[in-house]
């Protein structure tokens, strides 16, 4: 029997070997190495042999040739929930560590780190987020941790199960954290990992890394124990939230204004009741009263409250703090004191930041917590850019949009289609040239300040709109529909709201404030922009035309003409809420392209044509165009409405002599300042569809000569 069995084994082995040689049976891949002390378990990030820097002997892994980070070792994929223990010792002045839940973020291998470092001469640094056993840059270890000095063995353990992370040193728990919730988000937002989405969260394919940051270290006795993930639970949320995130305005080389609002919800209400729309006769009667309760009740279904209506993002009291720093200079981080929001100002808060560096991208982080203090309940991250040095040439991209409202958005619950397209374009700044929302359109008619506030909270809780403005330098101009009502001026009322109240709501509460609402900023040597205020200083539309009738007001107009005359910029762009060239419809009576403001319109066109390289870019009109004034050759670009559901007021094909381009459709306008092959400054202006597709192209200075 034994002889037969051996013969069968021999025959089987012969047949298997022959089949393998002929390729009939594929070779069996080797099982992955599971012994952490073997070189085959590890790889380097740059593909070099692991033994080039590390030595593997007697069950130890020794970093013998420190290379300042280039020789770090990376494991293969491991279970994301685990307990891991090991022993280690370091030489003096060594900086190392063990990273876990490591994966790639924008091409970089990042993960949570059990820091290992020699800070023998500084006990305070050992108790920092950079000290041994810290959850590096996030959580400091306890001050009296049991740490053995360089040359002696220490024992470490990491527990990473679900959101629970714990660091042990020589059998003592020295640091712990939960990797979910607002407190964690706040830590990440101001750490070196601030741009890494879901950093520290468990994920399939996570790895472990032994770091080489300088100095010698020895590891041994690794014990890795996979664990089952804990049952999923929903985090308990508490007020306040930051449902409108943040936005900014008035950026120049050294300053900007940041805005936020504390809310009772993290997102808008999506399943609430719809508004009632009174008919025309009811509207006429309602507008005869200034009874706020009556004006509101007429638009709500029975038993409903404003804060529960579809689209609501109600405010809630809280405390907020702003932290900001250059994107590449986190060591320059600054934080404001905690400040309290209140119902008086619709729970809004804003900060004027000074002392910024020119031409820099900054990170901005806002945290919220309950009134009186306590744990952080919400955090949002944003970004902004400052204008580049006015004495140096710079490549600059910008965009301009106008005419938004909630009902005529074109991307469902996401918001407006232009914002994903704008995000891909990544402009250095954007100008929203007014009519950001329409008070005088239904669902609801904004006949009270609370209804006006409702509309602002609603449109800026649309995810695409909110997220874009949270991370883009912006300038917000004000026009009639977001001041009070169509073609409005001082002294008028709308429902229970006066013109002065509408101005104050926009200028001081719902948008970053600026004392005059007009400003000029140089974006590098070749581009200077002027941002105009078109409502606060204007004469009544029905006033007889003449030298005293104005849209800009005497002080703003004098400033505008003086600063244009003084400017040495190659391209001078005037951003206006309303047209100055047009053409506009004959029945309109609200802008410089209309006969009722012909005197000041002609004055501006004549003056602009004398300054050289002046171009007007405007909002207000619901069609896209490029026009050239026949008398002064002044160029004007209308950006068109920011929704493909909002084009109106002009007939496609009605191309007048002034038109160099006409498109009755939604979209936006972009501009780019650069250099030609000879090194001379150029400006390229394009109209875009809402999807971002370019539909026109004008190149300056060549177009000035056409």
């Amino acid at each position: 029997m034994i002889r037969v069995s051996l013969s069968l084994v021999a025959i089987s082995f012969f047949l298997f070997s022959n089949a393998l040689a002929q390729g009939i049976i594929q070779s069996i891949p080797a099982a992955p190495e599971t012994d952490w002390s073997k070189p085959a378990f590890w790889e380097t990030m740059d593909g070099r042999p692991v033994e080039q820097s590390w030595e593997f002997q007697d069950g130890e892994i020794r970093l013998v040739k420190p290379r300042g980070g280039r020789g770090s070792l990376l494991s293969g994929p491991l279970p994301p929930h685990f307990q891991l223990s090991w022993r280690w010792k370091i030489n003096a002045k060594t900086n190392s560590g063990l990273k876990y839940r490591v994966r790639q973020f924008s091409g970089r291998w990042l993960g949570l780190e059990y820091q290992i470092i020699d800070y023998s001469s500084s006990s305070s640094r050992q108790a920092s987020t950079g000290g041994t056993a810290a959850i590096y840059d996030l959580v400091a270890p306890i001050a009296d941790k049991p740490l053995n000095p360089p040359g002696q063995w220490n024992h470490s353990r990491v527990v990473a199960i679900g959101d629970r992370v714990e660091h042990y040193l020589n059998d003592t728990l020295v640091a712990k954290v939960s990797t979910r919730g607002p407190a964690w988000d706040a830590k990440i937002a101001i750490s070196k990992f601030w741009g890494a989405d879901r950093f520290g969260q468990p994920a399939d394919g996570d790895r472990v890394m032994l770091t080489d940051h300088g100095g010698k270290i020895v590891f041994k006795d690794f014990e890795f124990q996979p664990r089952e993930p804990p049952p999923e639970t929903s985090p308990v949320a508490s007020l306040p939230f930051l449902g409108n995130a943040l936005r900014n305005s008035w950026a120049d080389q050294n300053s900007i204004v940041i805005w936020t609002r504390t809310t009772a919800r993290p997102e808008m209400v999506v399943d609430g009741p719809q508004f009632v729309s009174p008919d025309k006769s009811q509207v006429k009667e309602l507008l005869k009263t200034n009874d706020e309760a009556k004006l509101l009740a007429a638009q709500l279904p029975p038993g409903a409250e404003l804060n529960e209506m579809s689209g609501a993002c109600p405010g809630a009291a809280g405390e907020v703090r702003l932290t900001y720093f250059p994107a590449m200079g986190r060591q320059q981080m600054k934080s404001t004191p905690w400040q309290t929001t209140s119902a008086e100002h619709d729970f809004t808060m804003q900060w004027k930041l000074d002392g910024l560096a020119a031409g820099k991208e900054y990170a901005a982080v806002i945290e919220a917590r309950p009134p009186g203090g306590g744990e952080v309940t919400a955090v949002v991250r944003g970004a902004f850019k400052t204008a580049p040095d006015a004495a140096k040439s710079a490549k600059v991209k910008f965009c301009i949009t106008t005419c938004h409202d909630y009902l005529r958005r074109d991307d469902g619950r996401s918001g407006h289609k232009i914002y994903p397209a704008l995000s891909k374009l990544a402009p250095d700044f954007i100008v929203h040239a007014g009519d950001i929302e329409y008070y005088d359109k239904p669902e609801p008619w904004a006949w009270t300040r609370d209804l006006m506030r409702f509309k602002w909270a609603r449109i800026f809780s649309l995810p695409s709109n909110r997220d874009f403005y949270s991370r883009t330098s912006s300038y917000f101009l004000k026009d009639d529909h977001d001041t009070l009502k169509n073609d409005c001026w001082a002294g008028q009322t709308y429902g229970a709201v006066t013109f002065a109240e509408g101005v104050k709501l926009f200028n001081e509460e719902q948008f970053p404030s600026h004392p005059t609402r007009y400003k000029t900023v140089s974006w590098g040597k070749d581009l200077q922009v002027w941002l105009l205020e078109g409502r606060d200083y204007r004469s009544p539309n029905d006033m007889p035309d003449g030298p005293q009738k104005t849209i800009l007001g005497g002080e703003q107009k004098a400033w505008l003409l003086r600063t244009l005359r003084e400017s040495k910029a190659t391209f001078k762009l005037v951003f206006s809420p309303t047209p100055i060239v047009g053409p506009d419809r004959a029945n309109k009576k609200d802008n410089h392209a209309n006969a009722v403001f012909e005197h000041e319109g002609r004055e501006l066109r004549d003056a602009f044509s004398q300054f050289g390289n002046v171009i007007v870019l405007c909002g207000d009109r619901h069609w896209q165009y490029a026009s050239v004034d026949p008398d002064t050759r002044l160029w004007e670009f209308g950006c068109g409405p920011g929704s493909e559901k909002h084009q109106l007021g002009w007939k496609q094909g009605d191309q007048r002599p002034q038109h160099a381009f006409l498109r009755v459709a939604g979209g936006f306008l972009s501009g780019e300042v650069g250099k030609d092959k000879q090194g001379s400054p150029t400006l390229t202006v394009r109209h875009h569809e809402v999807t971002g597709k370019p539909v026109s192209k004008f190149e300056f200075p060549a177009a000035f000569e056409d």
Side-chain angles (χ1 to χ4, degrees), residues 224-429:
F224 184 86
Q225 301 173 10
R227 292 287 188 261
E228 289 296 317
E232 287 193 14
T233 59
S234 298
V236 178
S238 56
L239 302 178
F241 300 101
L242 294 165
N244 294 131
L246 64 96
R247 48 188 180 266
N248 67 71
S249 196
W250 308 111
D252 56 27
Q253 280 73 20
N254 308 115
S255 68
I256 199 167
V257 183
I258 308 290
W259 178 100
T260 195
R261 178 174 179 261
T262 51
T263 60
R265 299 175 56 94
E267 303 286 344
M268 68 161 64
V269 175
V270 296
D271 53 358
Q274 301 296 320
F275 285 94
V276 174
S277 292
D279 61 33
K280 289 184 178 181
S281 62
Q282 290 174 305
V283 169
K284 186 176 181 180
E285 287 301 312
L286 285 164
L287 288 178
K288 294 177 181 178
T289 179
N290 61 0
D291 186 329
E292 294 190 8
K294 186 175 181 180
L295 292 167
L296 173 60
Q299 302 184 76
L300 299 180
E305 295 184 3
L306 183 60
N307 286 346
E308 63 188 31
M309 298 299 291
S310 181
C313 190
E319 294 184 358
V320 287
R321 176 175 67 178
L322 169 67
T323 298
Y324 60 99
F325 52 91
M328 303 303 292
R330 196 168 54 93
Q331 67 279 4
Q332 300 174 44
M333 182 182 299
K334 294 181 180 180
S335 295
T336 67
W338 288 94
Q339 294 174 277
T340 303
T341 65
S342 68
E344 181 184 0
H345 301 291
D346 194 31
F347 309 103
T348 64
M349 183 62 64
Q350 49 185 292
W351 300 268
K352 169 77 179 300
L353 306 183
D354 292 301
L356 304 176
K360 294 286 187 181
E361 181 174 354
Y362 281 80
V365 179
I366 296 177
E367 301 164 84
R369 69 184 187 187
E375 290 290 324
V376 170
T377 56
V379 59
V380 294
R381 292 197 301 261
F384 61 87
K385 291 180 180 179
T386 53
D389 190 329
K392 297 179 180 178
S393 293
K395 288 186 177 180
V396 179
K397 287 191 293 184
F398 63 88
C399 294
I400 177 173
T401 185
T402 191
C403 299
H404 288 37
D405 70 0
Y406 180 81
L407 291 185
R408 287 174 285 192
R409 67 194 188 278
D410 52 8
D411 201 15
R413 287 293 180 186
S414 294
H416 289 72
K417 287 181 180 178
I418 66 168
Y419 289 111
L422 285 165
S423 295
K424 291 179 182 178
L425 225 83
D428 295 297
F429 69 89

Side-chain angles (χ1 to χ4, degrees), residues 480-642:
D480 50 351
H481 297 285
D482 36 29
T483 302
L484 192 68
K485 61 180 180 178
N486 186 47
D487 294 355
C488 59
W489 62 82
Q492 294 184 317
T493 60
Y494 186 56
V497 187
T498 67
F499 181 89
E501 289 171 329
V503 165
K504 185 174 182 179
L505 200 75
F506 191 107
N507 290 2
E508 300 179 20
E509 179 183 281
Q510 293 296 323
F511 289 88
S513 61
H514 186 265
T516 60
R517 301 301 301 186
Y518 55 83
K519 185 170 182 170
T520 182
V521 183
S522 293
W523 277 79
K525 178 181 178 181
D526 300 312
L527 175 65
Q528 188 170 348
V529 303
W530 282 259
L531 306 150
L532 303 186
E533 169 54 56
R535 288 290 144 189
D536 293 1
Y537 311 110
R538 67 165 51 220
S539 306
N541 289 358
D542 57 7
M543 174 181 172
D545 194 28
Q548 302 306 312
K549 190 173 183 180
T550 180
I551 289 177
L552 300 182
E555 186 175 311
Q556 180 180 201
K557 184 163 57 177
W559 160 85
L560 172 63
L561 299 181
R562 174 180 56 79
T563 52
L564 279 167
R565 187 179 301 109
E566 294 170 348
S567 173
K568 293 181 172 54
T570 306
F571 303 108
K572 308 174 183 68
L573 305 187
V574 176
F575 290 87
S576 171
T578 52
I580 295 176
V581 172
D584 195 12
R585 292 172 289 175
N587 65 335
K588 292 300 292 182
K589 302 176 181 180
D590 197 51
N591 64 62
H592 289 116
N594 303 149
V596 296
F597 283 101
E598 174 60 26
H599 186 279
E600 187 173 68
R602 189 186 312 111
E603 178 188 9
L604 293 174
R605 293 189 291 271
D606 288 344
F608 290 175
S609 67
Q610 302 302 312
F611 298 137
N613 291 11
V614 175
I615 301 172
V616 177
L617 301 99
C618 73
D620 190 42
R621 302 297 77 193
H622 295 252
W623 60 92
Q624 296 181 319
Y625 67 86
S627 292
V628 184
D629 180 56
D631 298 324
T632 63
R633 307 304 297 165
L634 175 67
W635 279 81
E636 177 174 270
F637 290 87
C639 60

